[in-house]
Amino acid sequence: GSGTTAKPEASSGSANTASGRSSAALNSADSAQKASSSLLGTSPLVQRYLQYLGQAHRGGFIGTPRYRQCCNIAARLERWLVISGHEGLAPEQFDSDMLLSYRQFLFDEHSLVPAWPQLYPHPVRIPRKRRKCSSVVLEMKALKAFFTELENQEEIRRSPFRSLSRLKQLVAGKKT
C-alpha cells in the first residue's frame, strides 16, 4: 500500500449475486470512484479510462477490490495531468515520454503534495512516502491493459507502451 487507496464502505451484509458481486459491493465501488478526486474525470483520457474500468467491472473481468484500486489510479493520473500541464489530454495524445514522466510522478508524488494541496482533498489518501517499485509496476500494468484495449478497439493507432524502446520498456514495466 501506498496509502492512497479508498477505504470501502461498510456493506449491509446482503447476499452475493450469481456473478459473485453484491449490490452493496457495487455501490461501495461507485462511491470509491466518486470520492477519488474532486477533479476526477475532467480529462478525456481519464473519462475514457473510467469508462473502460466500468465496462470491465460490470462484465466481471475485474472484481470490486481491483476496480477500487484502478479508480485510485484514475485519480492519480488526473493529478499528474494537472501538475504536468496536460489537462484535457485525449488518449491518442498520450505518448511514451508522457508515460515515463507519469511513472516518475508515481514514485515522487509524495514530494509534490505541499505544492499542490488542492489536488489532495482527502487527508487520509495523501501519499506520505515514495511508492515501492512493485506498486508502480502494478499501476503501469493496469495502464498497459487499458492502452492495449484502446489499440485493439482501434481507438488509438499505437499504444504508448509499444512505442517504447526495449530499454525504456524495462524501465517502465519492470522492477528496477
Side-chain angles (χ1 to χ4, degrees):
S2 62
T4 59
T5 56
K7 293 189 178 202
E9 296 175 5
S11 68
S12 59
S14 61
N16 285 347
T17 61
S19 68
R21 294 175 288 163
S22 69
S23 60
L26 289 174
N27 290 338
S28 176
D30 290 340
S31 296
Q33 175 186 342
K34 289 175 187 168
S36 295
S37 170
S38 59
L39 295 173
L40 195 57
T42 59
S43 158
L45 173 62
V46 174
Q47 288 175 357
R48 183 60 184 96
Y49 184 62
L50 290 171
Q51 179 186 6
Y52 161 79
L53 290 178
Q55 291 169 343
H57 187 241
R58 284 188 302 277
F61 297 105
I62 60 173
T64 300
R66 182 67 176 148
Y67 177 73
R68 282 191 205 112
Q69 288 175 337
C70 290
C71 287
N72 287 324
I73 290 171
R76 282 189 288 278
L77 182 59
E78 189 79 55
R79 289 193 298 264
W80 175 80
L81 289 167
V82 170
I83 290 170
S84 65
H86 294 297
E87 301 103 324
L89 192 74
E92 62 272 9
Q93 296 171 309
F94 194 83
D95 62 27
S96 60
D97 290 333
M98 291 177 189
L99 184 65
L100 293 175
S101 173
Y102 177 66
R103 178 186 177 274
Q104 192 60 48
F105 165 80
L106 294 175
F107 283 116
D108 299 334
E109 184 179 17
H110 68 286
S111 66
L112 299 170
V113 173
W116 297 89
Q118 69 276 20
L119 297 180
Y120 301 91
H122 306 288
V124 174
R125 297 187 199 120
I126 293 175
R128 304 206 186 284
K129 60 183 181 178
R130 185 174 172 90
R131 281 189 184 84
K132 295 179 182 177
C133 287
S134 59
S135 297
V136 173
V137 167
L138 287 174
E139 189 151 332
M140 298 304 282
K141 285 182 179 183
L143 284 180
K144 185 174 184 178
F146 166 64
F147 281 109
T148 298
E149 177 65 16
L150 292 182
E151 189 178 46
N152 291 342
Q153 296 297 320
E154 298 181 356
E155 291 182 40
I156 60 174
R157 192 175 59 74
R158 188 175 175 99
S159 167
F161 285 89
R162 292 191 196 280
S163 300
L164 295 175
S165 69
R166 183 68 183 142
L167 178 61
K168 286 182 180 177
Q169 285 178 15
L170 291 172
V171 169
K174 299 203 184 307
K175 294 182 183 180
T176 55

